[in-house]
Amino acid sequence: MSNGQDRVVALLDMDCFFVQVEQRQNPHLRNKPCAVVQYNSWRGGGIVSVSYEARAFGVTKSMWADDAKKLCPDLLLAQVLESRGKANLTKYREASAEVMEVMSRFAMIERASIDEAFVDLTSTVRERLQKLQGQPVSADLLPTTYIEGFPQGLTTAEGTVEKEEMRKQGLLQWLDSLQSDNTSSPELQLTVGAVIVEEMRAAIERQTGLQCSAGISHNKVLAKLACALHKPNRQTLVSHGSVPQVFSQMPISKVRHLGGKLGASIIEILGIEYMGELTQFTESQLQSHFGEKNGSWLYAMCRGIEHEPVRPRQVTKTLGCGKNFPGKTALVTREQVQWWLLQLAQELEERLTKDRNDNDRVATQLAVSIRVLGDKRLSSLRRCCALTHYDAHKMSQDAFAAIRNYNTSGIQTEW
Ligand code: DCP
Ligand code: MG
């Protein structure tokens, strides 16, 4: 078994992505407190992305725009386009594809969401180290990099030092501690990985005008955590040695894969709060509570070790669309249900056709899922059927057939 330091993995995540896409299009929105809303007739619309200027006022995602305006009266708003009565995300998907294209020039990427991707830089780093021939890495190549846990043993009172000054001191201390002639040093490999990620981010900004942050570490979980440590427009290196300190105060639910049920049961069953506290349990204890696979994963993960590969995938595996009908907007007749299924199917038909042309592939399965109000699960009901034709009418009829038995009204024409 490896010691978990054999790979260099990075996660890049765009900063306030939808806001940046709108700011690129409309210069009046740049460098201002700004947010993107979806729909706007109810309480000014729901906020889906917030500029960092607006975050300083306490504006957050999922707030109503009317409430956000109370916190930040000068807040500028942009609206997500609507087609067929629902949000149309085409503009952001296209910007996402631009970004992914630039990233994939550097290395194999795994698209993880509309605005983030993992990269495995292991072999790219090895090649770069050969070119460097033992030359030390210069701090100039890492202008936006934070080293987690550094500077160590600082004598100055922390509050009196500027953030940028601290970053530089930490970086210089870290670079001094590296043995630049030992190409098998995991710390040196991460550092060269960070140099490459600086280049990737600069290329993304030059080519698309969009900024992002990044995390560099030995696995996906740590890379993702690292990325969030110094947003926006910065990147953070988390070494194996910094894991105990990072995990000592890291709430369990903040760790990738532990945001849901498993994380909640760990907190409840073991009575702990932070990721680091998991190290006090043996592997078999963890397995007895959470199953063999989860137990082993947790035992290694809390020590900073994880092996999930970065899978080559630049496009999404599934293509989906949906709409919520809260409160009074609830669908109550068969006609309404069928009409909305057709609207969704029309969007699907359009996107499937484009996907077939762009990516040379066809979809074979159609899944319909329904979530009823108050259900905490992702879906209350999910049914699948074959997808044989990219035809909105056919898809909406098949979808209706798949869910018709779910109608609880007892009357065919009512829902
Ligand atoms: N998004 C959305 N609804 C959500 C969450 C996100 O529509 N509930 C969209 C809008 C975001 C984009 O996805 O711009 C990316 O999501 P992120 O969580 O990465 O958020 P941002 O990129 O906006 O901000 P950050 O700088 O924190 O990454
Ligand atoms: Mg983002």
Side-chain angles (χ1 to χ4, degrees):
M1 205 56 174
S2 76
N3 60 4
Q5 299 170 64
D6 50 343
R7 292 180 297 157
V8 177
V9 174
L11 176 88
L12 286 80
D13 181 322
M14 306 308 292
D15 300 324
C16 53
F17 183 50
F18 285 18
V19 163
Q20 278 201 86
V21 172
E22 295 298 336
Q23 287 173 326
R24 181 172 74 163
Q25 191 182 335
N26 179 358
H28 297 298
L29 301 176
R30 291 178 198 165
N31 309 309
K32 301 254 172 60
C34 169
V36 174
V37 295
Q38 203 162 296
Y39 313 117
N40 68 358
S41 49
W42 177 255
R43 298 198 187 174
I47 291 181
V48 294
S49 184
V50 187
S51 77
Y52 282 78
E53 289 84 354
R55 291 183 203 197
F57 290 85
V59 177
T60 63
K61 224 177 269 182
S62 80
M63 238 176 217
W64 297 110
D66 288 350
D67 297 334
K69 279 265 189 188
K70 287 175 203 153
L71 294 173
C72 177
D74 295 329
L75 184 69
L76 300 175
L77 296 172
Q79 206 182 324
V80 175
L81 270 178
E82 276 179 56
S83 349
R84 300 190 196 90
K86 65 179 288 296
N88 178 341
L89 304 182
T90 308
K91 194 199 298 184
Y92 314 106
R93 290 201 184 95
E94 284 173 359
S96 172
E98 286 177 51
V99 170
M100 301 287 162
E101 196 274 316
V102 179
M103 282 193 218
S104 58
R105 288 181 209 160
F106 288 79
M108 183 257 280
I109 70 165
E110 175 181 332
R111 183 189 195 273
S113 79
I114 194 165
D115 84 328
E116 63 189 325
F118 288 103
V119 257
D120 190 318
L121 292 169
T122 313
S123 57
T124 316
V125 162
R126 201 171 299 136
E127 287 159 24
R128 183 69 68 93
L129 273 168
Q130 260 155 27
K131 273 193 215 139
L132 281 172
Q133 294 189 319
Q135 282 175 67
V137 176
S138 155
D140 298 341
L141 300 177
L142 296 162
T144 67
T145 301
Y146 281 85
I147 308 294
E148 190 54 23
F150 282 74
Q152 292 177 329
L154 197 70
T155 47
T156 336
E158 283 189 24
T160 65
V161 185
E162 292 284 331
K163 201 175 176 215
E164 175 55 18
E165 190 51 36
M166 287 277 280
R167 184 195 71 79
K168 271 192 207 149
Q169 285 190 29
L171 177 63
L172 291 173
Q173 225 184 57
W174 165 263
L175 291 175
D176 275 344
S177 74
L178 295 176
Q179 300 171 299
S180 58
D181 50 355
N182 177 8
T183 58
S184 62
S185 149
E187 289 75 24
L188 180 62
Q189 291 171 350
L190 288 185
T191 308
V192 172
V195 170
I196 296 166
V197 174
E198 290 270 9
E199 295 167 0
M200 288 177 80
R201 293 178 41 244
I204 292 168
E205 185 169 2
R206 193 172 60 241
Q207 300 269 326
T208 70
L210 302 169
Q211 295 183 340
C212 65
S213 300
I216 302 99
S217 193
H218 293 298
N219 57 59
K220 285 174 154 183
V221 174
L222 291 179
K224 169 108 186 159
L225 277 178
C227 178
L229 294 176
H230 297 281
K231 253 182 172 278
N233 204 22
R234 297 288 182 271
Q235 58 182 56
T236 307
L237 183 158
V238 165
S239 64
H240 188 69
S242 74
V243 168
Q245 174 243 313
V246 173
F247 276 177
S248 69
Q249 292 178 69
M250 182 63 64
I252 288 168
S253 66
K254 291 261 187 281
V255 176
R256 181 175 144 88
H257 300 313
L258 300 181
K261 272 190 204 156
L262 177 59
S265 69
I266 293 167
I267 294 166
E268 197 186 301
I269 295 173
L270 302 180
I272 59 173
E273 236 179 298
Y274 302 111
M275 200 57 198
E277 295 177 85
L278 278 168
T279 54
Q280 58 192 296
F281 301 95
T282 65
E283 186 166 7
S284 50
Q285 281 175 321
L286 294 172
Q287 286 175 326
S288 73
H289 289 300
F290 310 108
E292 196 179 310
K293 205 170 139 238
N294 287 336
S296 297
W297 186 83
L298 287 169
Y299 184 79
M301 191 66 254
C302 67
R303 292 170 172 76
I305 299 171
E306 204 242 1
H307 303 289
E308 187 188 319
V310 177
R311 294 182 184 84
R313 192 179 71 222
Q314 208 182 319
V315 289
T316 44
K317 255 198 271 191
T318 61
L319 201 148
C321 65
K323 183 170 169 69
N324 293 328
F325 303 93
K328 282 185 193 158
T329 64
L331 309 184
V332 292
T333 67
R334 183 177 64 193
E335 263 62 49
Q336 284 180 323
V337 172
Q338 288 176 326
W339 191 81
W340 277 107
L341 281 174
L342 182 60
Q343 306 310 300
L344 295 176
Q346 282 170 347
E347 178 181 328
L348 274 189
E349 181 188 320
E350 230 172 74
R351 287 170 50 205
L352 281 168
T353 306
K354 182 172 189 306
D355 179 78
R356 186 172 55 198
N357 295 332
D358 291 352
N359 304 316
D360 256 338
R361 57 180 186 171
V362 289
T364 56
Q365 191 185 53
L366 178 69
V368 200
S369 74
I370 300 178
R371 186 169 53 148
V372 293
L373 195 65
D375 196 333
K376 290 200 187 75
R377 294 172 298 175
L378 214 55
S379 81
S380 313
L381 170 97
R382 192 182 134 92
R383 292 283 176 272
C384 297
C385 58
L387 201 171
T388 50
H389 295 96
Y390 285 3
D391 175 280
H393 280 94
K394 167 114 177 77
M395 286 191 285
S396 66
Q397 281 162 8
D398 290 349
F400 184 74
I403 60 166
R404 69 189 316 158
N405 289 336
Y406 190 62
N407 183 4
T408 51
S409 76
I411 308 166
Q412 276 204 0
T413 53
E414 278 168 40
W415 271 61

